[in-house]
């Protein structure tokens, strides 16, 4: 029971990380220069991709048990 609960907490944390990346991408349009906008968009995209990858691997591990 404890490990399943821990896995769901971990998935929730990575969901929040992905949402933070989305907020970063949306907020990029308020940066002053185009270079800063690209940098924020790229960082946000990295957050989202990492979060999705970890969430998918956790789900696969959970359902393969």
């Amino acid at each position: 029971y404890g490990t399943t609960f821990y896995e769901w907490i971990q998935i929730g944390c990575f969901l929040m990380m992905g949402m933070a990346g989305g907020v970063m991408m949306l907020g990029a349009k308020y940066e002053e220069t185009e270079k800063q906008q690209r940098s924020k968009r790229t960082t946000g995209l990295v957050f989202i991709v990492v979060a999705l990858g970890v969430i998918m691997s956790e789900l696969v591990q959970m359902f393969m048990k």
Side-chain angles (χ1 to χ4, degrees), residues 13-26:
C13 289
F14 279 102
L15 275 173
M16 288 193 295
M17 179 182 164
M19 288 190 294
V23 168
M24 195 178 292
M25 287 181 72
L26 290 174

Side-chain angles (χ1 to χ4, degrees), residues 14-64:
F14 279 102
L15 275 173
M16 288 193 295
M17 179 182 164
M19 288 190 294
V23 168
M24 195 178 292
M25 287 181 72
L26 290 174
K29 63 182 173 185
Y30 299 109
E31 290 292 333
E32 294 177 5
T33 64
E34 182 65 31
K35 185 177 180 182
Q36 289 174 329
Q37 288 178 356
R38 278 196 313 265
S39 174
K40 289 287 188 204
R41 264 189 248 122
T42 304
T43 306
L45 191 60
V46 168
F47 270 55
I48 292 171
V49 168
V50 168
L52 284 177
V54 173
I55 288 170
M56 291 176 86
S57 70
E58 283 294 319
L59 288 174
V60 166
Q61 284 180 352
M62 284 174 65
F63 293 119
M64 294 301 280

